[in-house]
Amino acid sequence: MNSTGYRPFELLAEPPAEVRAGLLQARPVTFGQYSPVPSTSLAGHDLPAHAACFGNRWPLDEPAAERLLHDLDRSYLTGRGGGHFPVSVKAQSALRAGPGGVLVANGSESEPASAKDHALLWLRPHLVLDGLAAMAELIEATDAVLWLHEGDPDLLDVLTRALAERRRAGLDRIVPQLALAPQHYLSGESSAIVRSLAGGPTLPAFTRVPASSSGVHGRPTLVHNVETLARIALIQRYGSAAPDSTLYTVIAEGNRQVVEADQRWTVAELIGSVTGRSAGYQAVLVGGYGGRWMRWSAVAGVGASHAAMAAHGINSGAGVLLPIRSDECGLWQASQIASYLAESSARQCGPCLFGLRAVADILDELVEGAARERDLSRLQRYRAEIAGRGACRHPDGALGMVASAMDVFADDVDEHLRLGSCRRMRSGGLPGLA
């Protein structure tokens, strides 16, 4: 054991038992519906606890960098922020652009339904920071940034202490800088991050130039979700033997629970691990507020891993699952989310500023029994006019959620039109919507 308190590890060695149990030691982390602070008995890791669990992360020399790039490619690790782009491809693109770039750890978790990144930053901050250090060394970046939402002083305190521990131990060649983003749905979008770090507004960019070749002030810039970085840290240590699991946020029974799904689980088993039952649902919102509604029969038996979902044509997005019971009005939930997404637009273009509000208003009228058949035709026309015309992808995400709701809850739509209500229960509020 060296002077920093770390015990060394051997690359490609079998992970210790507590690591094989998963990033969260196979235990769920519970958040309140609106609280950013986890109510859990699972201990957070300071530097000595991190060392005892995971061992040291040695800086990358050239052979180790080549091995890490090879292992990232072989593991087919994809981004866990919602885009699911192969990590090795992004790294290779940055390497082709040359040294001197910027690496950003995106921990803002702008999706209000999600809490997985919060859980990692609270409980495993040094694992995230190890991944940030390893990737910065791999792509020869000269600046590293930890991007967080403002307004969460407790989490900021956790990470400030973690960074101070690392500075005292001299662990990082590049000392990460903290940057605080405004509390907004779009402030975690990658082009908004790049734009803000370059001195502009924290809003998505109109033009799409790959940040890996020309990002902050024209420098190569990579933005990685914090779960992605935690998994990079494990892959550097254990290569192909690194634990392969999936973090999900399940919203049910008045709570958000972050669960680390075993690769053998189905979606029904994952939700059942939180709610205590794996039946009695009509649908699930998959991916978050900009995700898609799926019929329970279509998704319940699908494997809970991102890869298994993708094989069935399902985009797991930011890893959020919101199950709707058979006695709940899913159309009402969809209308609440549509209104939130309309209010959360960047207001940089007509489709966002006017189109999403018009769509949300029609959905609200439908739920309240004030809509008529002609309003459904108007809704379809608006969707056609808005699709693909936004300055960013936000309108398309919102429209996809609405379109999937109109399909999955078609019977509810019919009842609301005929009777003014589907007579199902309107459940409690959702995170960020109250």
Side-chain angles (χ1 to χ4, degrees):
M1 189 171 291
N2 63 21
S3 59
T4 66
Y6 275 114
R7 56 177 171 80
F9 66 92
E10 294 181 6
L11 291 174
L12 304 182
E14 180 73 9
E18 63 269 29
V19 179
R20 291 198 298 275
L23 293 173
L24 304 176
Q25 297 175 9
R27 293 167 62 186
V29 179
T30 301
F31 289 77
Q33 201 76 309
Y34 309 110
S35 173
V37 180
S39 53
T40 177
S41 60
L42 187 61
H45 281 174
D46 59 9
L47 196 53
H50 173 69
C53 183
F54 295 103
N56 193 10
R57 186 205 73 82
W58 300 114
L60 294 179
D61 56 17
E62 187 172 345
E66 291 178 0
R67 182 167 54 239
L68 176 57
L69 190 60
H70 171 75
D71 287 337
L72 290 173
D73 186 57
R74 185 171 58 174
S75 68
Y76 201 70
L77 177 66
T78 59
R80 299 301 172 90
H84 300 289
F85 195 77
V87 171
S88 64
V89 175
K90 288 180 72 170
Q92 289 164 349
S93 178
L95 285 169
R96 285 193 297 272
V102 180
L103 179 64
V104 182
N106 185 5
S108 63
E109 201 156 34
S110 296
E111 168 60 68
S114 181
K116 70 178 182 66
D117 296 345
H118 239 61
L120 271 179
L121 290 170
W122 266 92
L123 301 170
R124 305 290 178 260
H126 288 290
L127 196 63
V128 172
L129 294 170
D130 277 355
L132 180 63
M135 183 55 67
E137 291 167 3
L138 176 64
I139 66 171
E140 300 181 72
T142 52
D143 287 284
V145 178
L146 184 54
W147 179 262
L148 304 170
H149 262 160
E150 64 185 9
D152 191 348
D154 294 320
L155 180 60
L156 181 61
D157 184 56
V158 167
L159 293 166
T160 300
R161 288 200 309 268
L163 290 171
E165 285 183 299
R166 297 175 76 87
R167 279 195 296 270
R168 287 194 296 270
L171 294 183
D172 300 323
R173 292 175 179 172
I174 303 168
V175 177
Q177 302 299 308
L178 281 169
L180 300 182
Q183 298 252 156
H184 193 275
Y185 183 74
L186 294 175
S187 62
E189 198 268 347
S190 59
S191 71
I193 295 173
V194 171
R195 197 175 175 188
S196 181
L197 291 176
T202 312
L203 295 171
F206 286 97
T207 57
R208 293 286 170 176
V209 177
S212 57
S213 57
S214 180
V216 178
H217 298 305
R219 298 163 63 191
T221 304
L222 283 191
V223 179
H224 276 306
N225 170 261
V226 294
E227 184 193 347
T228 308
L229 292 169
R231 297 193 180 280
I232 289 171
L234 292 179
I235 288 172
Q236 188 203 354
R237 284 166 164 80
Y238 308 114
S240 60
D244 186 15
S245 58
T246 306
L247 288 182
Y248 280 98
T249 307
V250 180
I251 303 173
E253 311 302 330
N255 287 311
R256 292 177 295 160
Q257 280 208 356
V258 178
V259 181
E260 190 157 15
D262 187 288
Q263 298 301 297
R264 297 165 295 183
W265 286 5
T266 63
V267 171
E269 290 169 333
L270 170 60
I271 291 174
S273 73
V274 172
T275 65
R277 63 177 187 169
S278 55
Y281 299 103
Q282 58 171 315
V284 184
L285 179 62
V286 180
Y289 292 165
R292 301 295 181 269
W293 292 97
M294 304 285 299
R295 289 181 176 84
W296 180 253
S297 58
V299 73
V302 175
S305 71
H306 294 304
M309 284 197 179
H312 285 80
I314 303 170
N315 184 354
S316 53
V320 174
L321 296 173
L322 169 60
I324 297 291
R325 297 194 310 267
S326 298
D327 61 351
E328 292 180 300
C329 180
L331 197 62
W332 180 80
Q333 294 281 33
S335 74
Q336 302 303 296
I337 295 170
S339 290
Y340 169 80
L341 294 175
E343 291 301 315
S344 300
S345 77
R347 302 180 183 273
Q348 297 184 116
C349 63
C352 254
L353 185 57
F354 304 111
L356 291 187
R357 184 68 267 166
V359 167
D361 286 346
I362 293 175
L363 203 58
D364 184 60
E365 290 172 7
L366 176 61
V367 167
E368 297 303 328
R372 300 293 180 265
E373 287 283 354
R374 64 178 179 271
D375 295 311
L376 296 190
S377 299
R378 191 157 53 99
L379 178 60
Q380 290 180 329
R381 185 174 75 251
Y382 287 162
R383 283 166 43 195
E385 290 173 352
I386 297 168
R389 291 185 170 89
C392 67
R393 292 186 291 269
H394 178 65
D396 289 336
L399 291 177
M401 187 280 298
V402 171
S404 64
M406 298 296 287
D407 175 46
V408 169
F409 304 119
D411 291 343
D412 290 0
V413 171
D414 182 62
E415 287 191 38
H416 277 273
L417 281 174
R418 290 187 298 105
L419 306 174
S421 171
C422 65
R423 302 178 184 177
R424 290 187 174 88
M425 180 178 66
R426 295 184 179 186
S427 58
L430 295 173
L433 275 59

